[in-house]
Amino acid sequence: MADYNVDDVIKNIFDSNDSNNWKPTDKIPLVIKEIEHLKNDMRSFLSSSDYDIASILDEGKELCAESKTLVDEMELCRQEIEQETMAEILQSIENHDQLAKELQSVNFAIDIIYDVVQCGKYVKEFDDGREAQSFTRAVEAVYDLVQYVEMPAEGFKHLDLYANTKHTAQLILDSLLHDLYGEWDRLVSYIVKPGIKKTVVIITLNLDDSMIVIDVLNALDRSKKLKEKVSEFSQFLLKDVLIPIIHNDCTVFAETEELMTVTINYKQDFKPEYDAVIANLRLLFHYLSNKLNVKFNRECSIMRMLGKEICQPFSDVIVKDCLIDTIPNNINELQSYGKITVEIEDFQRFLTVVKFFPDDKFSILHYVNNIDVLFASKSCQYFLETARTIMFKDLSVTMSIGVESIPESDEGPSDTFDDNVEGALKILDETIPVSLFYFPRCMISKTAQELLDLVYMMMEQAVQCSDVVCKKLYNTTRLVFELYDAVVPYHHENYLQTIPQYVALFHNNCMYLAHNLQTFGDKWLILMEGRELDYPISFVDLVHKLRDLGYKHLTMHMQQQRKQILDNIRSSDLNCIVVKDVLSENAEAAIRQCLRQLHLLKNVWIGVFPNNVFTRLMATLVNMFVDELIHRVCTVEDISMEMATQLTEIYTLVVQKAPQLFQNPSDVEKYVKSWIKLQELIFVLGGSLKDIENHWKDGTGPLAIHFRTEELRNLIKALFQNTQFRANLLIKIK
């Protein structure tokens, strides 16, 4: 049976070769035959089997009969349970619900009674604490009572007793806190007496390690009010005592063991030295330590609480407003700064010992970690303030500077140089004038030299410092000259607008500073040799800016002088020659006033400006003056003989006086472009047509050189009547 294969049997019956030709009637006998064969095999298998199949079947029939009997019995049991037992169970449930309700009522009553008993217990504990004069016990009892009535048992809130108890507990707590606050005020009190010149602060501390004091502190701590009171006292100390001691002149004096007086004196522009501040703080903290280091529990004291509250803001203030000021502004003092840090470290240890600082790790010396940056900022601030102070000084305090003449160097290139170097030096010598390295003799303000000495000091200090400080000082040095541009013209504005000497000195100052800035960067780089820099060092860009600053104000003043000269001329009869036959006295007065003005400028400027600059400036003003005089005459259509005579006399006065305005009288011909033209004009005004013809000399004479044809023709028409000789001369002048 185990080897019987159904698939093979089906293949044999339904042969695939004739699958399209067979009919069901043909295959049924084959299938029936196979079934019969299988039945015979099954009989043979059962007859040869080791099991008694018949017995097994009989046993199964018996089990079926017994199962049916059990089912019938279970059905009888179910019916009996439904009819009798369920009735008893329902009755039991009703009894249980009734008992549960009764138990709930009993528990409800018990809870209310328990709350009443507990409230009474806390009230009794409070009474016992007050009788024993123990604030701690009383506070604990009241706080327990208050907390207990906040979470009462169900139903307790509906009793009149609950409302009365809660109200009473709050009244007792308020009264107790009032008494505790009174005790605290007795232990810790302070008075501030403000005034205009000084403020007096009186601190009285009556704390000690007695049981009464400990009891008060514990009671305040238990009521969570101690931190509030200590915080209040801490803020008072910080704002009214510690910070004023850091900022003002103070006297700290312990009158008694319990009483200390701090007198704060208000002085204008006063800042106490760091050692005086530390000395006063030591006295104060010594007094506070003796009184506030009272341990009201194993882990804490008032002094520690106070320190925890204000040590950080106190540290920030003393570092920012006191200790940082101890950082010097020069490299020599910085090298000896260790002495000051030792004193500050000792003060820090003192604050740790008196328990104001929480531990040894808390430091007020953290700013020393950035000493280079702070030193750089302090130095730069000092130098900028010093520079500003110098710039505010009077410009009229002068000194002589520069060389009278530029020395000539006969030294040739060194023999040690090769041909390329010699060639380069020769080209450099031919390209750059020697005068570039020399400043001409003139007068400058002493403030300009002071400012230059200051920036040289900055440079010398910078090269001795770290790269951070050096870079900061370099930028500050540049800023000094930027500041000069902004401060000096603004601060001395009135003088620069009205006093010629100030303008001259300011111009020279700008030129002198610009001259030194040309090589200042090279000097810096020479001192910095061997150091790697990540920034360029140069001041050449400031040279043009400073020169323009000097030019600007000198130009403005020259325009002002020019305006005064023109106003003098135009306010006289010289401005209305065309409508007058004779000039009044104001014409000559105006000329003399202009000459006096120029002579005053000569007295002020000579020796102040370099000689060549003075000559050029005076030549510019004189040339403008002469041009205006020439223009007054050359634009007139008719000039009478009397007026021509007057003009000749007045203009001759100019020719006589103007050369005296220069150091060398011959300079007037060299530098005043219109000088010969003025002389020729005077010649024309006093000459005849024949003289004019001779000076014209067929277009080659001095009149032809200095006058335009149209100008000369107009002048002849204005001076001479219309004659044939004049007409012939005008024909020649073309």
Side-chain angles (χ1 to χ4, degrees):
M1 289 295 291
D3 297 332
Y4 186 78
N5 193 325
V6 177
D7 292 334
D8 292 339
V9 173
I10 292 173
K11 286 181 179 180
N12 291 331
I13 296 173
F14 301 98
D15 189 359
S16 58
N17 294 328
D18 57 348
S19 56
N20 295 326
N21 300 322
W22 63 271
K23 297 179 180 179
T25 54
D26 297 335
K27 300 298 182 181
I28 289 173
L30 295 175
V31 173
I32 293 173
K33 181 181 179 182
E34 187 64 31
I35 290 172
E36 289 298 329
H37 177 69
L38 288 173
K39 287 181 178 181
N40 291 331
D41 288 344
M42 177 61 73
R43 290 189 189 98
S44 299
F45 174 75
L46 291 175
S47 61
S48 62
S49 175
D50 294 337
Y51 297 98
D52 187 356
I53 301 301
S55 299
I56 292 173
L57 291 173
D58 293 340
E59 187 176 353
K61 292 179 180 178
E62 292 176 0
L63 288 173
C64 287
E66 289 180 3
S67 297
K68 184 177 180 182
T69 302
L70 289 173
V71 169
D72 293 341
E73 290 178 357
M74 290 177 67
E75 180 64 23
L76 291 174
C77 287
R78 184 185 66 77
Q79 292 176 359
E80 184 178 353
I81 289 171
E82 289 178 354
Q83 294 175 1
E84 298 180 5
T85 307
M86 285 301 296
E88 294 177 359
I89 290 173
L90 292 175
Q91 184 63 36
S92 298
I93 290 172
E94 291 178 2
N95 294 337
H96 175 270
D97 292 341
Q98 185 176 357
L99 291 174
K101 290 180 180 179
E102 292 177 358
L103 180 60
Q104 185 177 3
S105 299
V106 172
N107 289 335
F108 180 78
I110 289 174
D111 290 341
I112 293 176
I113 293 171
Y114 180 78
D115 284 355
V116 173
V117 172
Q118 284 296 110
C119 290
K121 174 185 174 184
Y122 292 137
V123 172
K124 185 176 185 307
E125 288 177 356
F126 166 75
D127 292 337
D128 293 342
R130 293 311 301 265
E131 288 179 6
Q133 296 183 348
S134 173
F135 281 103
T136 303
R137 289 173 58 186
V139 166
E140 288 178 351
V142 174
Y143 261 86
D144 289 343
L145 176 60
V146 171
Q147 291 178 2
Y148 196 80
V149 297
E150 290 298 324
M151 296 180 293
E154 184 180 358
F156 186 59
K157 287 185 177 181
H158 301 293
L159 299 179
D160 294 338
L161 178 63
Y162 170 77
N164 293 334
T165 302
K166 187 173 183 179
H167 180 66
T168 303
Q170 191 60 47
L171 290 177
I172 292 173
L173 179 61
D174 293 342
S175 175
L176 190 57
L177 290 176
H178 180 270
D179 293 342
L180 282 173
Y181 289 164
E183 288 296 317
W184 172 264
D185 293 338
R186 182 183 64 82
L187 298 175
V188 178
S189 63
Y190 46 87
I191 301 173
V192 179
K193 298 179 179 179
I196 298 176
K197 294 184 177 180
K198 66 178 182 180
T199 295
V200 179
V201 180
I202 301 173
I203 304 174
T204 305
L205 301 178
N206 292 309
L207 288 93
D208 52 35
D209 55 358
S210 64
M211 295 298 296
I212 296 175
V213 173
I214 300 299
D215 180 58
V216 172
L217 296 179
N218 279 325
L220 285 169
D221 184 49
R222 179 66 179 82
S223 61
K224 299 180 182 179
K225 299 297 181 181
L226 180 61
K227 186 176 180 181
E228 175 186 323
K229 285 297 181 181
V230 172
S231 177
E232 181 182 329
F233 180 60
S234 301
Q235 294 304 318
F236 154 74
L237 280 178
L238 180 65
K239 295 178 181 178
D240 294 325
V241 181
L242 296 177
I243 293 179
I245 286 177
I246 295 171
H247 292 159
N248 300 280
D249 174 39
C250 293
T251 302
V252 180
F253 182 67
E255 304 281 352
T256 64
E257 291 185 359
E258 290 78 21
L259 178 65
M260 169 158 280
T261 302
V262 179
T263 304
I264 305 165
N265 302 305
Y266 300 118
K267 297 181 180 179
Q268 190 173 6
D269 299 327
F270 176 82
K271 196 166 189 178
E273 297 292 332
Y274 79 97
D275 51 353
V277 172
I278 289 177
N280 284 331
L281 291 175
R282 278 181 175 273
L283 290 173
L284 177 66
F285 279 108
H286 182 72
Y287 165 75
L288 294 176
S289 174
N290 289 340
K291 290 298 178 182
L292 299 182
N293 267 319
V294 178
K295 290 187 177 181
F296 56 91
N297 61 43
R298 295 180 180 179
E299 298 179 355
C300 194
S301 67
I302 301 297
M303 193 65 178
R304 287 187 181 276
M305 293 178 66
L306 186 145
K308 185 178 181 181
E309 179 78 17
I310 63 171
C311 69
Q312 188 60 58
F314 166 77
S315 174
D316 294 341
V317 172
I318 195 173
V319 169
K320 178 182 176 183
D321 297 340
C322 179
L323 300 184
I324 286 183
D325 292 339
T326 63
I327 296 175
N329 52 39
N330 64 76
I331 190 65
N332 295 329
E333 293 181 7
L334 181 64
Q335 293 172 351
S336 60
Y337 188 65
K339 296 179 181 178
I340 298 177
T341 59
V342 169
E343 295 181 38
I344 298 173
E345 285 178 350
D346 185 54
F347 178 61
Q348 177 178 299
R349 284 192 295 271
F350 167 76
L351 293 180
T352 303
V353 170
V354 298
K355 305 297 189 297
F356 181 72
F357 281 172
D359 49 48
D360 294 336
K361 296 180 181 179
F362 193 90
S363 174
I364 56 177
L365 277 171
H366 56 82
Y367 72 94
V368 179
N369 297 332
N370 297 322
I371 189 70
D372 281 352
V373 176
L374 294 173
F375 171 70
S377 298
K378 185 73 176 291
S379 298
C380 295
Q381 181 181 358
Y382 166 76
F383 285 125
L384 286 175
E385 290 175 355
T386 304
R388 184 184 290 273
T389 302
I390 293 173
M391 294 172 195
F392 284 170
K393 290 183 178 180
D394 190 358
L395 295 180
S396 62
V397 181
T398 62
M399 62 181 291
S400 180
I401 199 73
V403 296
E404 292 290 351
S405 60
I406 299 172
E408 296 182 1
S409 176
D410 297 330
E411 297 179 4
S414 174
D415 295 337
T416 59
F417 295 149
D418 57 27
D419 294 339
N420 292 333
V421 175
E422 285 187 21
L425 290 174
K426 184 177 180 181
I427 293 173
L428 184 65
D429 185 56
E430 293 174 353
T431 305
I432 300 179
V434 179
S435 60
L436 180 68
F437 303 101
Y438 294 93
F439 196 73
R441 175 70 66 182
C442 67
M443 302 295 290
I444 64 169
S445 303
K446 285 188 176 181
T447 57
Q449 186 61 49
E450 288 181 37
L451 192 65
L452 197 60
D453 292 340
L454 178 68
V455 296
Y456 271 107
M457 183 190 303
M458 295 170 66
M459 178 183 72
E460 292 170 357
Q461 179 165 302
V463 298
Q464 301 178 55
C465 300
S466 65
D467 291 341
V468 174
V469 181
C470 183
K471 185 175 183 178
K472 183 77 172 178
L473 285 173
Y474 162 70
N475 290 327
T476 305
T477 305
R478 289 181 56 86
L479 190 58
V480 166
F481 295 102
E482 298 282 353
L483 194 66
Y484 188 85
D485 185 3
V487 170
V488 177
Y490 176 78
H491 182 72
H492 301 281
E493 181 178 9
N494 292 333
Y495 295 113
L496 292 175
Q497 290 177 352
T498 56
I499 302 178
Q501 185 186 22
Y502 261 73
V503 178
L505 289 171
F506 180 68
H507 170 270
N508 292 349
N509 295 342
C510 292
M511 296 301 115
Y512 181 61
L513 294 174
H515 171 78
N516 281 274
L517 286 181
Q518 290 180 127
T519 57
F520 192 65
D522 296 331
K523 295 174 183 177
W524 194 305
L525 286 172
I526 291 171
L527 293 176
M528 296 288 288
E529 186 176 1
R531 297 172 66 168
E532 295 184 2
L533 304 176
D534 59 351
Y535 57 96
I537 292 180
S538 176
F539 295 86
V540 177
D541 59 307
L542 298 175
V543 173
H544 182 68
K545 190 171 184 179
L546 281 172
R547 285 177 175 169
D548 278 352
L549 181 64
Y551 290 147
K552 172 186 173 183
H553 286 274
L554 181 58
T555 302
M556 290 169 57
H557 190 74
M558 290 288 286
Q559 291 174 348
Q560 184 178 343
Q561 294 292 337
R562 177 180 179 276
K563 182 178 182 300
Q564 289 180 7
I565 292 173
L566 294 178
D567 288 345
N568 286 330
I569 295 174
R570 292 170 183 174
S571 63
S572 68
D573 282 358
L574 292 172
N575 193 43
C576 52
I577 296 177
V578 68
V579 297
K580 294 196 175 199
D581 294 332
V582 179
L583 297 174
S584 64
E585 294 180 355
N586 65 15
E588 183 178 346
I591 297 297
R592 290 185 178 276
Q593 177 62 32
C594 292
L595 290 172
R596 280 195 296 271
Q597 178 183 338
L598 292 172
H599 189 72
L600 177 62
L601 286 177
K602 173 194 173 182
N603 293 337
V604 172
W605 283 353
I606 195 166
V608 176
F609 279 118
N611 292 337
N612 60 334
V613 175
F614 168 77
T615 302
R616 287 200 301 270
L617 292 176
M618 187 58 67
T620 300
L621 290 174
V622 172
N623 190 70
M624 179 274 303
F625 176 45
V626 169
D627 276 344
E628 184 66 17
L629 295 179
I630 296 171
H631 176 71
R632 293 293 106 191
V633 176
C634 290
T635 56
V636 177
E637 295 181 356
D638 184 35
I639 301 175
S640 65
M641 183 179 297
E642 292 84 354
M643 184 176 291
T645 303
Q646 286 180 309
L647 289 172
T648 301
E649 292 175 355
I650 294 174
Y651 285 13
T652 301
L653 179 64
V654 175
V655 173
Q656 293 172 350
K657 298 291 185 180
Q660 301 173 15
L661 298 175
F662 294 86
Q663 288 177 307
N664 187 352
S666 63
D667 287 344
V668 70
E669 297 180 5
K670 184 177 180 180
Y671 295 103
V672 179
K673 291 169 49 178
S674 300
W675 183 251
I676 304 299
K677 187 175 182 179
L678 176 65
Q679 292 177 319
E680 291 298 318
L681 175 63
I682 294 172
F683 172 79
V684 171
L685 289 172
S688 63
L689 287 173
K690 185 63 177 176
D691 294 332
I692 295 174
E693 183 180 14
N694 292 335
H695 266 239
W696 172 254
K697 206 174 182 178
D698 295 330
T700 60
L703 285 177
I705 295 173
H706 297 286
F707 279 87
R708 289 183 290 110
T709 302
E710 192 62 32
E711 281 183 334
L712 186 58
R713 288 171 62 86
N714 290 339
L715 193 57
I716 293 172
K717 290 178 182 179
L719 288 170
F720 299 97
Q721 294 182 356
N722 190 6
T723 63
Q724 185 61 40
F725 189 80
R726 191 189 82 165
N728 294 335
L729 180 59
L730 291 175
I731 292 173
K732 291 180 181 181
I733 301 175
K734 291 183 180 179

